[in-house]
Amino acid sequence: MKLFQPKLKRLSLLIAISIGVSGCNSAQDNSQTSTQSKTEEAQQFIEQAEQSLSDLSIEINRSEWIYSNFITADTAALSASVGEKQTATSVKLATQAAKYTDLPLDDASLRKLNILRSSLVLPAPLDPVKNAELASISSELNGLYGKGKYCFEDGRCLTQPELSAIMGESSDPALLLEVWKGWRDIATPMRPLFEREVELANEGAIDLGYANLSELWRSQYDMKPDEFSTELDRLWGQVKPLYDSLHCYVRGELNEEYGEDVVSANGPIPAHLLGNMWAQSWGNIYDKVAPQDADPGYDVTELLAKHNYDEIKMVKQAESFFSSLGFDELPDTFWERSLFVQPKDRDVVCHASAWDLDNLDDIRIKMCIQKTAEDFSVIHHELGHNYYQRAYKGQPFIFKNSANDGFHEAIGDTIALSITPSYLKQIGLLDEVPDASKDIGLLLKQALDKVAFMPFGLMIDQWRWKVFSGEITPEQYNQAWWDLREKYQGVKAPIERSEDYFDPGAKYHVPGNVPYTRYFLAHILQFQFHQSLCDIAGDKGPVHRCSIYGNKDAGSKLNTMLEMGQSRPWPEALKVVTGSPEMDASAVLDYFAPLQVWLNEQNTQANRQCGW
Ligand code: X8Z
Ligand code: ZN
């Protein structure tokens, strides 16, 4: 960075001198020349920015990798200090980029300048003291989440994946409530840190010319921020009737299982009974709500155990799906450097993630794998990130990203939609493919994971955007959180949650400052991708039974989109695979069409009053 500004000045000075010699001094020519020199200055700026950001990214990746694999006071300090340096550089470059956006530059350069301007998720104020404070808060919040544990009265202290396993397996409302409440205690100390983080990052966003951090986060989708919000409402409007039917059915079944005292037949569902720490996906309660006569009769968790799958074998199996599509195998360093199993001797951030340390080939995942169907899917999700990263490695640094953040989250999930019974049979996990009479069971399981997730995927940032804009004040953090949980998901806290608590902080992405709308988008996009890739593969059956396993045409089309990275607006990337530039939830509705009919029948027969 230090070399960068003087170099630019020297360049424009040289141009000015040579112009003087040639004697072109009319007003018009002068302005043309100054536009030309400005244009060259902008090109030079972009080149230098890419180089310094690329160099810095390797340093930050390494320090964050080490921090989240060994959480100690020292690694926290080191990661904060590199974070501070990176933010200062990014903020400076974002401010400078804004100065060039009106120039007559080529599309790619203008796109790079816009990305430089708008892609910060935690912008610091220009004041270096405040930047340092923000970097240290951000590290501390991450550490608090990673170190989080709940200790039972008998002295056993469990980490997040271990507590999540209880939430997924137990049917004892008292134990579920204890774990639900216990995990949320980790977030209480985060409240003042989060409040300050919002204050500082908002100031940073304002320094960059945005109204607040909400506007900045919503500016990353190749459209105006308010148009993006409207687009989300439209997509959610498409899915909501299906969600309402699913909610109605599940609540009715849980009401029968637990009784009116625990789950009322009319109100929101208590959040500790849905098989997941955050009630975000409900696949784990499939057995409790399964249809009597349409159960496919197998459980992937049991199949994995029966066939002696350990953590590595699970990852190898996922890799082989991508290989079957024509993607190269993962490099040796992936296997040497990834974290697959929770270490016993130290604190790590267990929340699954995928990394690209050198922006080329040093790709890795970090995950405390549980040998379950759920984590088998998450492994595909993470590898989707890694294959995307590798596919766009030939792009210039600023374009080394997904078309929009929803695309990055959608790729591995798209592949996981192909884990059908016939695929499981092909890889030797399942003996017999259940016949079509079991489709409702398969679809219900899938809907519990995917459709149930959608309002959750949406509400987190609805909350955060209001926090950033000041519409939700710190005194209302928890109340507003639960209001939105009820509004979108129709779930409620099982016990009173006052402002003494900070329940949003118990979800990784809040202390981790990871935008969450990406997962909502991904849940729409993955059904669009799956449908189109199945078409490309020539599959003629129902789309929920289609697996693209082994289909090189589908793989090649997918790869064409992945290789584009962020070089073009996302509608163009979407069009490569789906033929359409629009995000559209029709593919979700098509996929679940038979289930929608069945849910309505069930709800009518049981005379259920839907809604909450
Ligand atoms: O955070 C993740 C991935 C890493 S990007 C494991 N997901 C969201 C979550 O766990 O809350 C995947 C689905 C939603
Ligand atoms: Zn992800």
Side-chain angles (χ1 to χ4, degrees):
M1 251 328 272
K2 271 181 192 147
L3 285 172
F4 164 53
Q5 276 179 322
K7 254 194 183 169
L8 253 188
K9 276 197 191 119
R10 213 168 41 235
L11 179 81
S12 43
L13 196 68
L14 278 174
I15 292 166
I17 292 167
S18 71
I19 291 156
V21 170
S22 74
C24 304
N25 58 0
S26 79
Q28 193 194 356
D29 281 347
N30 263 348
S31 81
Q32 263 178 7
T33 327
S34 83
T35 305
Q36 191 190 349
S37 70
K38 267 273 183 199
T39 307
E40 283 173 27
E41 185 184 304
Q43 304 285 11
Q44 183 96 348
F45 163 77
I46 292 169
E47 222 171 275
Q48 299 274 0
E50 294 211 284
Q51 191 57 53
S52 56
L53 286 175
S54 164
D55 293 347
L56 262 174
S57 84
I58 297 175
E59 206 179 329
I60 188 96
N61 291 343
R62 290 204 176 114
S63 74
E64 280 184 8
W65 174 266
I66 294 168
Y67 179 36
S68 43
N69 276 280
F70 308 85
I71 307 176
T72 69
D74 302 312
T75 54
L78 289 173
S79 123
S81 119
V82 183
E84 185 184 335
K85 193 163 80 172
Q86 197 213 23
T87 305
T89 305
S90 307
V91 167
K92 210 180 290 174
L93 293 174
T95 314
Q96 288 169 335
K99 290 192 290 199
Y100 299 114
T101 46
D102 292 333
L103 292 171
L105 293 160
D106 59 286
D107 280 1
S109 301
L110 280 174
R111 186 164 176 77
K112 285 181 182 175
L113 289 171
N114 278 324
I115 294 171
L116 277 175
R117 270 197 71 198
S118 65
S119 60
L120 274 105
V121 287
L122 196 63
L126 294 166
D127 175 353
V129 176
K130 287 181 175 169
N131 179 20
E133 189 190 356
L134 183 59
S136 131
I137 288 177
S138 161
S139 276
E140 196 178 340
L141 281 169
N142 268 304
L144 281 171
Y145 190 93
K147 284 187 290 192
K149 286 180 196 66
Y150 172 63
C151 301
F152 290 92
E153 270 175 12
D154 65 9
R156 267 179 318 138
C157 293
L158 300 191
T159 61
Q160 186 271 308
E162 294 158 346
L163 296 167
S164 274
I166 298 176
M167 296 302 294
E169 285 158 15
S170 171
S171 300
D172 171 1
L175 175 62
L176 290 168
L177 182 58
E178 180 183 359
V179 171
W180 187 94
K181 185 175 180 305
W183 174 247
R184 278 158 182 75
D185 287 345
I186 66 137
T188 305
M190 294 177 190
R191 184 186 260 269
L193 296 166
F194 178 80
E195 185 181 336
R196 182 69 179 144
E197 183 179 67
V198 169
E199 225 169 71
L200 291 168
N202 257 336
E203 211 178 307
I206 292 166
D207 282 353
L208 290 176
Y210 295 87
N212 51 49
L213 190 55
S214 162
E215 195 181 272
L216 173 54
W217 278 25
R218 291 180 295 122
S219 293
Q220 305 179 355
Y221 297 92
D222 296 303
M223 58 175 87
K224 296 205 174 77
D226 289 346
E227 284 169 11
F228 180 61
S229 297
T230 308
E231 181 68 352
L232 292 177
D233 292 345
R234 180 183 71 78
L235 293 167
W236 171 231
Q238 283 185 284
V239 182
K240 184 167 163 41
L242 174 60
Y243 179 75
D244 287 349
S245 303
L246 179 70
H247 179 279
C248 191
Y249 173 78
V250 167
R251 182 179 59 189
E253 297 296 306
L254 293 181
N255 172 271
E256 276 173 35
E257 164 107 13
Y258 288 110
E260 180 70 22
D261 287 352
V262 183
V263 181
S264 125
N266 298 305
I269 306 171
H272 63 313
L273 303 176
L274 289 158
N276 177 278
M277 181 63 88
W278 306 275
Q280 68 180 60
S281 47
W282 307 347
N284 285 329
I285 60 160
Y286 172 76
D287 285 343
K288 295 191 176 68
V289 302
Q292 272 160 9
D293 47 3
D295 181 21
Y298 72 86
D299 174 86
V300 173
T301 304
E302 283 162 18
L303 295 178
L304 292 169
K306 188 173 147 199
H307 291 86
N308 295 318
Y309 271 60
D310 61 12
E311 295 84 353
I312 306 281
K313 196 164 175 203
M314 288 167 77
V315 183
K316 289 264 181 207
Q317 190 65 59
E319 179 197 31
S320 77
F321 198 122
F322 286 87
S323 301
S324 86
L325 298 176
F327 290 91
D328 287 343
E329 284 182 358
L330 294 165
D332 290 346
T333 49
F334 172 89
W335 301 102
E336 290 154 14
R337 297 172 187 175
S338 288
L339 179 90
F340 302 121
V341 181
Q342 182 175 345
K344 296 258 177 289
D345 59 344
R346 61 180 198 265
D347 289 322
V348 303
V349 177
C350 269
H351 188 88
S353 52
W355 300 63
D356 178 8
L357 274 281
D358 64 353
N359 310 310
L360 289 173
D361 300 303
D362 192 353
I363 45 183
R364 315 174 188 176
I365 65 171
K366 186 171 68 59
M367 187 174 167
C368 305
I369 298 176
Q370 310 278 304
K371 289 173 265 176
T372 61
E374 192 177 344
D375 271 7
F376 192 45
S377 277
V378 177
I379 291 167
H380 290 75
H381 174 97
E382 296 309 330
L383 290 193
H385 287 305
N386 281 156
Y387 283 98
Y388 210 153
Q389 288 159 341
R390 198 168 57 177
Y392 58 59
K393 72 175 181 179
Q395 290 285 347
F397 181 77
I398 295 178
F399 293 153
K400 287 188 191 196
N401 206 340
S402 52
N404 72 38
D405 54 5
F407 282 60
H408 231 309
E409 301 302 339
I411 302 310
D413 284 14
T414 302
I415 302 305
L417 286 178
S418 280
I419 307 179
T420 56
S422 65
Y423 168 69
L424 292 172
K425 187 171 178 208
Q426 258 179 295
I427 61 169
L429 272 178
L430 187 63
D431 297 331
E432 276 312 316
V433 174
D435 64 38
S437 69
K438 310 297 185 218
D439 276 15
I440 290 301
L442 289 166
L443 283 168
L444 181 62
K445 171 77 171 69
Q446 197 73 286
L448 290 168
D449 281 328
K450 303 290 182 180
V451 180
F453 178 83
M454 292 186 189
F456 181 80
L458 196 58
M459 68 74 51
I460 298 227
D461 284 349
Q462 298 294 316
W463 179 81
R464 262 192 298 204
W465 294 345
K466 288 191 163 80
V467 166
F468 296 156
S469 74
E471 200 180 315
I472 296 171
T473 63
E475 300 71 45
Q476 304 162 328
Y477 279 167
N478 235 27
Q479 181 64 45
W481 173 261
W482 286 107
D483 287 349
L484 288 166
R485 294 270 269 167
E486 182 166 332
K487 175 182 165 189
Y488 283 100
Q489 289 184 278
V491 306
K492 65 172 187 183
I495 41 168
E496 172 72 25
R497 301 302 284 172
S498 72
E499 295 297 335
D500 292 340
Y501 299 101
F502 182 55
D503 293 329
K507 177 68 198 159
Y508 168 76
H509 304 69
V510 174
N513 195 54
V514 180
Y516 209 81
T517 305
R518 58 182 62 192
Y519 302 108
F520 173 75
L521 298 178
H523 275 67
I524 308 284
L525 287 168
Q526 64 190 262
F527 286 94
Q528 290 187 259
F529 293 148
H530 180 64
Q531 191 174 60
S532 301
L533 294 174
C534 287
D535 277 350
I536 292 166
D539 192 285
K540 298 279 181 274
V543 71
H544 60 271
R545 283 205 170 236
C546 159
S547 177
I548 61 166
Y549 181 61
N551 193 287
K552 301 275 188 300
D553 291 339
S556 150
K557 186 64 98 176
L558 181 61
N559 189 48
T560 304
M561 180 180 84
L562 303 188
E563 278 177 352
M564 291 168 73
Q566 202 184 3
S567 62
R568 303 291 307 158
W570 63 259
E572 282 183 41
L574 183 55
K575 207 168 164 198
V576 167
V577 168
T578 69
S580 158
E582 310 269 348
M583 288 193 277
D584 183 12
S586 306
V588 179
L589 304 183
D590 290 350
Y591 186 101
F592 290 108
L595 183 73
Q596 172 76 81
V597 173
W598 183 84
L599 288 170
N600 288 350
E601 279 167 14
Q602 299 297 308
N603 291 333
T604 310
Q605 268 169 28
N607 211 4
R608 290 179 180 134
Q609 280 240 292
C610 298
W612 53 88

